[in-house]
Amino acid sequence: GPTRGQAAHTEDADGHGLPLPRARRGAAGVSLRRRRVLGGGAAAPAERERKKRVDLPLAYGAWGHYMAKICGPWYFFFGLANIVWATSPASSEEELSRTNPSVLIGLLMMAASPIMILVEHKWGMVVPLMKEYKIPVRGIAYIGVGVPALFSLCSFIAGVCAILCGLVNLFAVLRGEVGKGIRKTEKAKTAADDFEDAVPLTVVQRLAVWWKHQREADQVGQLVVLTLYVVGNIWYGIDTLVVYFDLLAFVGAGGPSYWAPFAKLGGALLNLNCSMLLLPIARGLLQVLNRQRLPGGSTLSTYLPLRKNIAFHKMLAKVVGCAATLHIVCHWFNFAFAPKVTLDIFPNPGNLPFGSKPWYGAVRYAPWVTGALITLAMFMIFSAAPKEVKQAKYELFWNNHHFFILFYVNLLFHGPVFLYWSILPISLYVVERCFRVRRGMREVFVLSVKWIDPVLCLTWKPKYKEHFQFVEGQYLYLCCPYLASDEWHPFTISSARGDLDLDDYVTVHIRVYPKGWTGGLKNYLELMNPTGAYPLYLSHIDDAGRHQPGKSVGPDGNQIIKVDGPHAAPAMHYDEYNTVMLVGAGIGLTPSASIIRAILRHKWRKGFKPEIIHFYWIVRQSEIESFQWFVQLLAELQAQLARDRAANNVPDANYIEMNIYVTRAEDGYPTPPLRESAELAEEYRPFAPFTPRQLLEAMVHPVVKSKLQVQVQSDPTLASNRIGDIWIWNGRPDWDSIFAQVARMRVHPDIGVCFCGAYVIGKDLSECCVKHSDVGRDVKFKLFKENF
Ligand SMILES: Cc1cc2nc3c(=O)[nH]c(=O)nc-3n(C[C@H](O)[C@H](O)[C@H](O)COP(=O)(O)OP(=O)(O)OC[C@H]3O[C@@H](n4cnc5c(N)ncnc54)[C@H](O)[C@@H]3O)c2cc1C
């Protein structure tokens, strides 16, 4: 209850809340505060000097690197185009000569191109050149080669992009960013690869192996979608080529060049792919599709690779990039040989029904201007999309991705036919955004805040339960208007659906980064906690003057938090399997926590799937202290399970095995004090096989090496590391032997593997799922992974 232990209790009795200087809202407010955290303002000169010398990891530097990687090849092409435009037989025609193409600029650009490519390949992600001499050579050089390109309309956009790239590089050096290069990991060879290498196979055998692999990797659905996609593109591409070559033949001499149909091919592929680009990221649509049940009990996601939505979005983006390149290259060469006729085909004032008006020039040149803006938008989006940029500074990725608005608006005017292609997906997306805004406006009450460095647990409830119907494994977006009214951060729901239905609360566990938005959120919540004691319970007085749990409005008069969700996530499909492996690393534990809670607290009692759960959690010894909430949850769930088993409320076939891997464990590490809030509640004590304190002690001092796992588990008399259904291991899991063991002991052929955590672990799991699936032996692991 609210008065337990050291709990703080804040109540918004008069509706005005705590005195608080009104914060500057919006992004500026955030950056002001961040600057303060970063050491501006009143820091002593010596302190400032010390901080100045600290190298920052590459963020803008990484963005600049990817900008330059795009500019390098562009410089070659636009340089060549300059030369072709300047020397083509049509170069004397007014339409071409007015663009001021130049052989000299072309040569300069073509010379700069390989140097750019080489420099970026060798030093791109390592260090801004000549940093030690405080001369940002790379930034200055890119600006230098950017300026001449501006003098010819042919290469204007490439010049703008090179200058932008130089500026970003300059900024990275000024910030003191230093990179370590990209580590390349070699794909480990599997036994199957070795077998294939050793035994020469016929084409038919290779096909059979490939097909078996597709089935084992659960890629049949993906294959069907991809085949349809490729066939659709090829069919539409060929159709476009045929139409335009026919047209060319019809027009005869004096018409556009043979480059024109290929430019149209690029345009057609752009139409098709740009119209699909938004669909895989329409969260509302994904939520509906993911929950779609089919006759017979299966779901749509069993057949459609819905969980690969982001991969599909990225693939479409790459195809858009290629199609745009084809479109530009062919248009540029076509224009070199047929400038007048090409311009005459573009929307022409003479062809318009309104007579002559001065602004018609804008219509005539609209495809050029909109084309340039589309190219610029793509440059910004693509250069900031790689994971190195995203992980280093999420805002760069996020803000640059918003150039999609410029991209789509200009596409609509660039080729009017795109309007027909895009009307449906763009409308869907706009509706989706409206729903997002509407969901975000709903009132939510923050019930309590718990804090054990560095994890913050936020418990809240929606005003109306039916507005937040979620499934375990799903996530939501949080916004704190005090910090920034338009900044949303995703967090997995860590409580179970039954907790909301029965006890009226939802939780999220947030790892706090002091300099980030999460740090700002914690500081803001602290304004409502003058004593600084946790847990902090919040309450308000309702219209009838009664005390009610929770508070929706913060001391600044804004909603404390806004919630947008729930949203579909891969782990939500756990209940389609009889056997599941739940894997979490660090704070990536949250979806597993929600799922285990749902199963042990609510589902098993009602006889719901899954029957068998293998849970794996990897945590650093030094971080265990911050996961006391989970230690408490495990102790509670074990007590509840013991009670249910004693009362025969759980079917005998149900089985749970939990493995905790403690990494970087040091001997003699002190057991952290157990927070009072992590003690076991009175109601569970009579049934508990262990207390949170005992579990914490065992976790901090793992005695058995993880590489002995399979051996120890096959002979439980050896087990000195078992507490209830929980096994505690020292070191990282050996996935290969774990998967082999699960496959050997399986009761059900299909095993769902739900993972949330670092990219590298996801990669290992993905390889193990393929390696240990064997359709011949009737075992198939299907991975549902989420990286954050
Ligand atoms: C589907 C999903 C579920 C998540 N669930 C949880 C959870 O349950 N608990 C938890 O602690 N964290 C979770 N995260 C990660 C969480 O969103 C980020 O840690 C948080 O947004 C960091 O913001 P920051 O400004 O404080 O940190 P920063 O210091 O700016 O960044 C820290 C890290 O978080 C990433 N990040 C920053 N902003 C965002 C954003 N808006 N969206 C996605 N990633 C971002 C950065 O790339 C960086 O790697 C989840 C992420 C995703 C994509």
Side-chain angles (χ1 to χ4, degrees):
T3 51
R4 200 172 352 134
Q6 285 257 307
H9 195 111
T10 300
E11 188 172 278
D12 196 2
D14 56 6
H16 298 301
L18 293 166
L20 175 80
R22 195 168 172 81
R24 285 194 45 201
R25 259 176 269 143
V30 175
S31 55
L32 261 185
R33 195 182 42 266
R34 285 188 181 169
R35 230 176 289 145
R36 226 177 295 137
V37 177
L38 282 167
E47 171 77 351
R48 273 209 301 271
E49 194 48 41
R50 191 183 61 75
K51 279 186 179 161
K52 250 192 240 164
R53 266 184 264 120
V54 174
D55 288 333
L56 287 174
L58 285 191
Y60 286 88
W63 181 28
H65 165 64
Y66 284 103
M67 283 180 146
K69 275 186 92 164
I70 300 175
C71 281
W74 275 14
Y75 254 55
F76 186 84
F77 161 68
F78 284 106
L80 181 65
N82 252 307
I83 297 172
V84 176
W85 282 24
T87 56
S88 116
S91 59
S92 56
E93 286 183 27
E94 197 201 348
E95 284 78 5
L96 199 55
S97 60
R98 257 196 328 210
T99 63
N100 201 22
S102 152
V103 174
L104 194 66
I105 295 175
L107 288 175
L108 180 79
M109 290 179 76
M110 285 181 76
S113 163
I115 300 174
M116 273 168 136
I117 295 172
L118 206 78
V119 167
E120 290 305 324
H121 179 70
K122 201 148 174 53
W123 295 288
M125 289 292 277
V126 184
V127 56
L129 282 184
M130 307 283 273
K131 179 180 169 282
E132 56 274 36
Y133 304 112
K134 297 260 182 273
I135 308 171
V137 176
R138 197 157 18 140
I140 294 173
Y142 288 160
I143 295 174
V145 292
V147 173
L150 300 180
F151 288 95
S152 157
L153 264 187
C154 170
S155 53
F156 184 82
I157 194 68
V160 170
C161 293
I163 291 173
L164 281 174
C165 169
L167 290 174
V168 169
N169 257 296
L170 264 174
F171 187 61
V173 176
L174 292 180
R175 285 182 90 224
E177 291 182 5
V178 174
K180 297 193 177 85
I182 299 178
R183 245 186 302 149
K184 289 211 166 67
T185 46
E186 277 206 5
K187 191 177 170 290
K189 266 195 167 188
T190 63
D193 291 335
D194 288 340
F195 176 78
E196 278 174 36
D197 288 349
V199 184
L201 299 176
T202 65
V203 176
V204 177
Q205 281 168 328
R206 272 184 194 282
L207 267 176
V209 169
W210 174 81
W211 180 242
K212 185 167 175 276
H213 175 84
Q214 298 305 315
R215 286 173 63 202
E216 285 166 355
D218 200 49
Q219 285 176 348
V220 178
Q222 188 175 322
L223 215 63
V224 172
V225 173
L226 273 181
T227 310
L228 287 175
Y229 168 77
V230 172
V231 169
N233 271 278
I234 292 177
W235 175 78
Y236 186 46
I238 291 177
D239 186 58
T240 307
L241 276 182
V242 169
V243 167
Y244 281 96
F245 269 111
D246 280 353
L247 211 63
L248 215 57
F250 177 73
V251 176
S257 74
Y258 282 108
W259 290 97
F262 293 101
K264 286 291 170 191
L265 167 68
L269 296 182
L270 271 175
N271 283 341
L272 181 63
N273 287 280
C274 289
S275 68
M276 289 193 281
L277 200 56
L278 295 177
L279 296 180
I281 46 152
R283 291 183 210 141
L285 179 69
L286 283 170
Q287 171 80 337
V288 172
L289 293 178
N290 267 288
R291 299 183 70 163
Q292 211 58 50
R293 297 245 164 218
L294 299 177
S298 58
T299 59
L300 197 59
S301 72
T302 316
Y303 305 102
L304 271 185
L306 292 175
R307 65 189 196 286
K308 302 260 173 95
N309 63 316
I310 296 294
F312 190 49
H313 174 72
K314 285 184 187 168
M315 189 198 76
L316 288 174
K318 283 179 190 156
V319 175
V320 165
C322 294
T325 308
L326 179 71
H327 187 66
I328 296 170
V329 168
C330 296
H331 259 315
W332 250 231
F333 285 132
N334 170 59
F335 189 68
F337 301 111
K340 185 167 174 354
V341 66
T342 304
L343 267 195
D344 286 346
I345 296 170
F346 282 1
N348 190 337
N351 299 339
L352 294 173
F354 326 106
S356 178
K357 289 264 163 57
W359 49 265
Y360 282 167
V363 176
R364 185 163 165 80
Y365 295 106
W368 294 89
V369 178
T370 52
L373 289 173
I374 291 168
T375 312
L376 181 69
M378 286 177 73
F379 178 69
M380 302 304 270
I381 295 174
F382 279 75
S383 59
K387 74 171 186 304
E388 288 79 16
V389 183
K390 190 175 169 186
Q391 277 169 4
K393 199 159 178 61
Y394 191 83
E395 290 88 338
L396 281 182
F397 160 81
W398 182 248
N399 295 336
N400 277 298
H401 244 65
H402 277 78
F403 272 94
F404 88 93
I405 300 172
L406 183 74
F407 176 81
Y408 273 101
V409 168
N410 278 288
L411 262 184
L412 289 177
F413 291 104
H414 186 67
V417 71
F418 183 68
L419 187 66
Y420 305 113
W421 280 98
S422 61
I423 195 84
L424 225 117
I426 291 185
S427 316
L428 191 84
Y429 190 76
V430 171
V431 170
E432 151 98 26
R433 289 300 288 241
C434 295
F435 271 113
R436 237 186 258 182
V437 173
R438 203 174 129 223
R439 281 194 299 263
M441 274 160 45
R442 287 179 181 150
E443 196 172 12
V444 296
F445 293 92
V446 176
L447 299 170
S448 71
V449 183
K450 293 180 188 167
W451 165 251
I452 304 177
D453 193 11
V455 178
L456 186 88
C457 169
L458 204 67
T459 308
W460 62 277
K461 66 169 189 164
K463 188 169 183 184
Y464 304 107
K465 280 181 203 176
E466 55 281 13
H467 285 165
F468 199 80
Q469 298 290 310
F470 71 98
V471 180
E472 296 81 21
Q474 293 191 326
Y475 69 99
L476 49 77
Y477 278 86
L478 286 186
C479 166
C480 175
Y482 170 81
L483 295 176
S485 55
D486 53 356
E487 194 171 340
W488 293 84
H489 287 252
F491 297 98
T492 307
I493 301 161
S494 54
S495 55
R497 165 73 182 273
D499 298 332
L500 177 62
D501 291 342
L502 302 177
D503 300 325
D504 214 9
Y505 72 87
V506 182
T507 61
V508 281
H509 283 81
I510 300 172
R511 190 189 202 291
V512 170
Y513 297 90
K515 291 178 188 167
W517 179 89
T518 46
L521 176 70
K522 179 181 171 270
N523 293 343
Y524 173 55
L525 294 169
E526 250 158 32
L527 295 173
M528 288 175 268
N529 189 9
T531 66
Y534 286 98
L536 163 70
Y537 292 98
L538 300 168
S539 64
H540 70 281
I541 295 180
D542 70 8
D543 298 342
R546 286 180 306 238
H547 282 255
Q548 296 291 355
K551 189 165 169 174
S552 64
V553 178
D556 56 323
N558 275 310
Q559 262 182 256
I560 301 175
I561 50 164
K562 295 201 278 182
V563 175
D564 168 26
H567 294 296
M572 66 185 275
H573 296 290
Y574 76 97
D575 60 356
E576 291 159 27
Y577 291 83
N578 268 314
T579 300
V580 284
M581 291 169 77
L582 302 173
V583 186
I587 192 69
L589 157 80
T590 43
S592 304
S594 164
I595 293 171
I596 296 179
R597 196 176 173 122
I599 295 170
L600 298 190
R601 198 168 262 178
H602 308 287
K603 296 212 163 186
W604 274 3
R605 288 187 193 169
K606 296 178 188 157
F608 286 141
K609 285 203 276 194
E611 270 175 23
I612 296 173
I613 305 158
H614 302 271
F615 168 59
Y616 308 88
W617 177 40
I618 304 138
V619 61
R620 280 189 201 160
Q621 188 186 45
S622 57
E623 290 187 351
I624 291 175
E625 182 177 3
S626 63
F627 286 101
Q628 294 196 10
W629 60 274
F630 189 61
V631 171
Q632 181 202 25
L633 176 69
L634 286 179
E636 261 179 37
L637 292 176
Q638 278 274 271
Q640 218 167 18
L641 188 60
R643 187 177 60 190
D644 285 344
R645 278 179 179 150
N648 261 337
N649 277 343
V650 174
D652 289 341
N654 290 11
Y655 167 84
I656 182 161
E657 169 206 308
M658 298 184 256
N659 295 281
I660 299 176
Y661 301 87
V662 180
T663 58
R664 303 192 193 183
E666 288 168 16
D667 290 338
Y669 192 86
T671 309
L674 188 81
R675 308 290 164 113
E676 219 170 321
S677 59
E679 289 287 6
L680 207 53
E682 199 73 56
E683 55 182 303
Y684 297 111
R685 288 189 195 158
F687 309 96
F690 55 83
T691 63
R693 197 176 295 275
Q694 285 167 323
L695 179 57
L696 189 70
E697 178 68 40
M699 282 172 65
V700 175
H701 303 115
V703 287
V704 179
K705 291 273 178 215
S706 56
K707 53 179 183 267
L708 300 175
Q709 180 176 345
V710 174
Q711 193 188 339
V712 172
Q713 284 183 330
S714 60
D715 181 1
T717 54
L718 295 175
S720 53
N721 60 332
R722 184 173 183 175
I723 174 162
D725 292 313
I726 303 170
W727 301 76
I728 293 156
W729 308 103
N730 183 344
R732 293 184 184 167
D734 172 2
W735 292 120
D736 204 27
S737 56
I738 292 172
F739 271 73
Q741 185 194 29
V742 173
R744 211 172 37 246
M745 315 281 285
R746 73 189 179 281
V747 176
H748 310 106
D750 291 328
I751 299 161
V753 183
C754 303
F755 166 68
C756 195
Y759 174 79
V760 269
I761 305 177
K763 203 162 159 273
D764 284 351
L765 292 176
S766 163
E767 280 167 16
C768 279
C769 281
V770 176
K771 182 175 169 190
H772 293 277
S773 292
D774 186 341
V775 282
R777 287 196 303 131
D778 231 0
V779 50
K780 201 161 99 187
F781 292 92
K782 183 164 171 173
L783 182 64
F784 298 87
K785 75 171 169 170
E786 181 97 70
N787 296 124
F788 66 75

